[in-house]
């Protein structure tokens, strides 16, 4: 017979581990994404019909470049943690689950990195 | 003694059993639009990468996006993105502790597609107007 309490036995088991962090990250990233979306549509309207020089000129502005890079980075983060929940909900078997979770991170961070680098190049590049 | 046949366990209600309900349909749509936007976002980054690669690459991708199929995809993705954003706002309202009565849940769910379709139509009308299509 153990003198351990039921709580001590239950701790660390089950699916709830870092749930609160994830929940809060979802809220923060969705609020950030919503605000930056207004800038995104502003950018779309500024760039309609723009030629290459016009596009470069738009991103040459530090405000435009910073907000664009944030829009890409915030959405890459938001889509990564969102897809993580979907995978965790529907795929229960390892290693498929682990591989999909890993692939999700690789894809989201890759998309974010390409987008941010492209904006930096457009903004600063010759 | 003969083994008793195991009784079928009672099943928890799931998607195919519940009657579709506005908030339920919107919840499912939120997940679907999120998943589609996940891959759609790569198209935006593709354009950024093309523009960063040089004028020819940018013109090529622009031409692809200007085709009928390209336009349908972009309009579709706009709705997907806006609908997911509207769903997000709905969640923010709930997160603030408001809108939890059955009529308000129902109203928010029924308003969501109306707002997302209207916003998408307004955005694209403005885009075509700005581009001089009409």
């Amino acid at each position: 017979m153990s003198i351990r309490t039921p709580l001590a036995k239950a701790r660390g088991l089950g699916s709830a581990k870092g749930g609160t962090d994830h929940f809060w990250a979802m809220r923060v990233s969705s609020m950030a994404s919503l605000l930056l979306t207004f800038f995104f549509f502003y950018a779309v309207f500024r760039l309609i019909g723009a030629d290459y020089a016009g596009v470069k000129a738009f991103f040459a502005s530090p405000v435009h470049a910073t907000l664009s890079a944030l829009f890409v980075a915030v959405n890459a983060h938001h889509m990564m943690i969102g897809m993580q929940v979907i995978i965790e909900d529907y795929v229960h078997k390892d290693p498929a689950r682990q591989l999909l979770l890993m692939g999700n991170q690789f894809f989201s961070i890759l998309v974010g990195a390409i987008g941010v680098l492209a904006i930096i190049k457009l903004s600063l590049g010759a | 003694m003969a083994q008793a046949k195991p009784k079928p366990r009672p099943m928890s209600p799931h998607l195919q059993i519940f009657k579709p309900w506005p908030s339920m349909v919107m919840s499912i749509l939120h997940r679907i639009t999120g998943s589609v936007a996940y891959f759609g976002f790569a198209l935006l980054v593709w354009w950024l990468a093309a523009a960063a690669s040089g004028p020819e690459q940018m013109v090529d991708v622009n031409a692809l996006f200007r085709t009928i199929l390209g336009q349908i995809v972009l309009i579709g993705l706009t709705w997907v993105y806006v609908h997911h954003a509207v769903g997000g706002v709905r969640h923010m309202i709930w997160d603030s502790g408001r809108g939890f009565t059955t009529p308000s849940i129902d109203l928010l769910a029924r308003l969501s597609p109306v707002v997302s379709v209207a916003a998408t139509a307004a955005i694209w009308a403005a885009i075509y107007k700005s581009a001089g299509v009409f």
Side-chain angles (χ1 to χ4, degrees), chain B residues 2-26:
Chain B
Q3 195 76 27
K5 263 196 192 150
K7 261 204 278 180
R9 305 296 302 155
M11 280 221 307
S12 168
H14 52 81
L15 284 190
Q16 284 100 51
I17 289 177
F18 277 124
K19 181 178 129 194
W21 200 247
S23 56
M24 165 190 167
V25 174
M26 284 310 117

Side-chain angles (χ1 to χ4, degrees), chain A residues 31-77:
Chain A
M31 186 62 86
S33 175
L34 183 67
L35 296 174
L36 288 164
T37 293
F38 290 101
F39 166 75
F40 169 71
F41 282 116
Y42 163 78
V44 167
F45 281 100
R46 285 286 306 271
L47 289 170
I48 289 170
D51 58 5
Y52 193 68
V55 172
K56 297 274 288 189
F58 178 83
F59 286 105
S61 147
V63 174
H64 292 166
T66 305
L67 291 178
S68 302
L70 279 176
F71 177 76
V72 170
V74 162
N75 277 340
H77 177 235

Side-chain angles (χ1 to χ4, degrees), chain A residues 27 37 52 75 89-90 104 121, chain B residues 31 35 38 51-52 81 95:
Chain A
R27 266 66 198 166
T37 293
Y52 193 68
N75 277 340
D89 277 357
Y90 301 126
N104 171 44
K121 192 174 176 229
Chain B
R31 190 157 269 205
S35 306
Y38 180 92
Y81 189 93
D95 286 343

Side-chain angles (χ1 to χ4, degrees), chain B residues 26 29 33 75 78-87 110-123:
Chain B
M26 284 310 117
L29 263 183
T33 51
I75 294 170
T78 305
W79 175 77
V80 160
Y81 189 93
V82 170
H83 190 83
H84 193 78
V86 171
R110 282 174 196 279
L111 271 178
S112 298
V114 178
V115 172
S116 63
V117 169
T120 306
I123 288 165

Side-chain angles (χ1 to χ4, degrees), chain A residues 61-105:
Chain A
S61 147
V63 174
H64 292 166
T66 305
L67 291 178
S68 302
L70 279 176
F71 177 76
V72 170
V74 162
N75 277 340
H77 177 235
H78 184 80
M79 73 190 223
M80 182 176 86
I81 60 180
M83 188 56 83
Q84 183 197 329
V85 175
I86 297 179
I87 295 166
E88 286 167 349
D89 277 357
Y90 301 126
V91 187
H92 305 296
K93 279 203 185 112
D94 287 329
R97 180 175 165 279
Q98 292 161 327
L99 288 173
L100 280 171
L101 286 171
M102 211 184 277
N104 171 44
Q105 289 198 309

